[in-house]
Amino acid sequence: MTSLPDNTVMPFEIKPLGVRGRIVRLGTVVDDILHKHDYPAPVSALLAEAVALTAMLGASLKFDGKFILQTNSDGPVDLLVADFSSPAGIRGYARFDHGMVTKLAQPTPQALLGKGHLAMTIDQGQGMERYQGIVALGGVTLTEAALGYFQQSEQIPTRLRLAAGALAQRGARPEAWRAGAIMVQHLPRDGGISPQPFHSGDAPEGHEDKVVEDDHWVKARLLLDTVEDHELLDPMLTPEELLYRLYHEDGVTVYPAVTLARHCTCSRDKISDLLKSFSDDDRQAMKTNGIIDVTCEFCSTHYQFAPEEVEPAAQAT
């Protein structure tokens, strides 16, 4: 028996509707990211959604680079960072106040994030221009914030669903985290259909103008709205099967999936170079029992250095 595909981003297209999209299914990769830290369940779920969203958007890069998602806010989770390194590396980290999370009667994503902003950055590499879009956070979910980004920055009709949850299992870990995402966008090829909703222009003065949407797009987004969280998380339901459930009437074309892997860019050499850039006083303050101990925030890998190992070259000689 062959294993079902997992940890993938699969592009697809519903040609009769002028719609393209991607579907993300994360299993062991997101579980490994979350279990590198001792996150409360609501924080794990929020970070898992951020990782799924980052994977979906990052996998669209057509060059060697990074897609970085970051939130900064005044909520119990004041920092979320997830980044995708082409062609298929993903990682994520959450900074939170344990006491504030515990005090929440309802730890919804909106309550965890609080007010602030969500930034999405495309980094094309050294010497190349970075592109960034920023949207406000405040009483919204990651899904709503991302849709706000598409509306403001790309002005492409977009529908998006995110889901995360833990499944009970046997073994050393009592639970296995999973995450999923699906997105459709109206990008007709024939040029005969407006890719954006448009106004009729016929409303009388003092009345709101009616927004007219293309019927194909309306159908595509309404069908996407029927997706339930368990369908995005079920390890026994393949992406192809879910897409068939949704769009079999019009036919779905699927393209080769990207297989993701947890990838951290930290290394002993990089940490060493960073420590050498600090002042003597800063390095002295970092010492514990004569050793400088550094832990990567993303993967929790520990690095230890003797003070003389991280002295700048001029001092070392």
Side-chain angles (χ1 to χ4, degrees), residues 50 112 258 284 286:
L112 290 169
V258 175
Q284 287 293 325
M286 295 177 190

Side-chain angles (χ1 to χ4, degrees), residues 9 33 40 46 48 71-72 94 99 120 134 170-171 177 189 199 240 242 247 255 263 296 308:
V9 183
I33 289 171
L46 184 62
T71 68
N72 291 93
M120 299 186 188
I134 297 176
R170 296 178 180 179
W177 279 91
R189 289 180 169 179
H199 295 275
E240 293 92 339
L242 177 53
Y247 297 113
Y255 299 101
H263 170 69
C296 175
E308 59 270 18

Side-chain angles (χ1 to χ4, degrees), residues 33-34 36-48 50-51 69-71 76-82 91-98 101 112-113 296-300:
I33 289 171
L34 298 178
K36 293 293 181 182
H37 301 271
D38 186 20
Y39 294 128
V43 177
S44 286
L46 184 62
L47 179 57
V51 170
L69 180 150
Q70 181 171 328
T71 68
V77 180
D78 67 335
L79 176 69
L80 276 178
V81 184
R91 64 178 183 169
Y93 166 72
R95 186 175 68 196
F96 67 100
D97 185 305
H98 195 281
V101 172
L112 290 169
L113 288 170
C296 175
E297 291 181 330
F298 285 96
C299 67
S300 295

Side-chain angles (χ1 to χ4, degrees), residues 50 53-54 67-71 80-83 118-121 142:
L53 177 59
T54 300
F67 177 86
I68 305 160
L69 180 150
Q70 181 171 328
T71 68
L80 276 178
V81 184
D83 66 55
L118 166 68
M120 299 186 188
T121 305
L142 280 179

Side-chain angles (χ1 to χ4, degrees), residues 59-297:
S60 66
L61 295 179
K62 305 301 183 184
F63 50 83
D64 289 336
K66 277 188 174 183
F67 177 86
I68 305 160
L69 180 150
Q70 181 171 328
T71 68
N72 291 93
S73 63
D74 63 1
V77 180
D78 67 335
L79 176 69
L80 276 178
V81 184
D83 66 55
F84 176 95
S85 298
S86 57
I90 191 76
R91 64 178 183 169
Y93 166 72
R95 186 175 68 196
F96 67 100
D97 185 305
H98 195 281
M100 291 177 66
V101 172
T102 303
K103 290 178 182 177
L104 289 176
Q106 294 184 316
T108 62
Q110 297 94 319
L112 290 169
L113 288 170
K115 295 181 180 179
H117 68 267
L118 166 68
M120 299 186 188
T121 305
I122 296 175
D123 185 348
Q124 301 181 85
Q126 190 172 1
M128 301 293 287
E129 188 176 357
R130 288 162 63 103
Y131 297 93
Q132 186 176 77
I134 297 176
V135 292
L137 292 174
V140 297
T141 64
L142 280 179
T143 299
E144 292 165 337
L147 289 175
Y149 163 81
F150 282 108
Q151 183 177 357
Q152 294 177 19
S153 301
E154 298 193 6
Q155 297 184 340
I156 299 172
T158 302
R159 210 66 163 190
L160 169 68
R161 286 292 308 276
L162 300 174
L167 304 182
Q169 65 171 10
R170 296 178 180 179
R173 295 177 180 172
E175 59 186 15
W177 279 91
R178 295 186 61 79
I182 186 170
M183 179 177 72
V184 291
Q185 294 184 305
H186 194 211
L187 298 165
R189 289 180 169 179
D190 59 16
I193 303 172
S194 172
Q196 302 178 36
F198 59 95
H199 295 275
S200 67
D202 297 328
E205 187 175 351
H207 292 75
E208 290 188 4
D209 200 3
K210 183 181 179 182
V211 176
V212 181
E213 290 185 284
D214 176 79
D215 289 342
H216 290 137
W217 169 241
V218 171
K219 180 179 181 179
R221 66 172 177 79
L222 289 177
L223 287 172
L224 187 82
D225 288 345
T226 67
V227 174
E228 298 185 23
D229 287 357
H230 71 84
E231 292 178 296
L232 289 173
L233 302 179
D234 186 351
M236 303 304 293
L237 179 66
T238 67
E240 293 92 339
E241 289 170 335
L242 177 53
L243 290 172
Y244 181 79
R245 286 183 183 180
L246 293 171
Y247 297 113
H248 64 275
E249 183 178 298
D250 294 286
V252 183
T253 302
V254 297
Y255 299 101
V258 175
T259 300
L260 303 170
R262 185 186 66 81
H263 170 69
C264 193
T265 58
C266 75
S267 70
R268 185 174 180 83
D269 288 343
K270 286 184 178 180
I271 300 297
S272 176
D273 290 342
L274 178 63
L275 291 173
K276 288 176 182 178
S277 70
F278 293 158
S279 68
D280 290 342
D281 290 342
D282 287 338
R283 288 196 301 275
Q284 287 293 325
M286 295 177 190
K287 290 196 302 185
T288 302
N289 297 324
I291 296 294
I292 298 176
D293 195 316
V294 178
T295 301
C296 175
E297 291 181 330

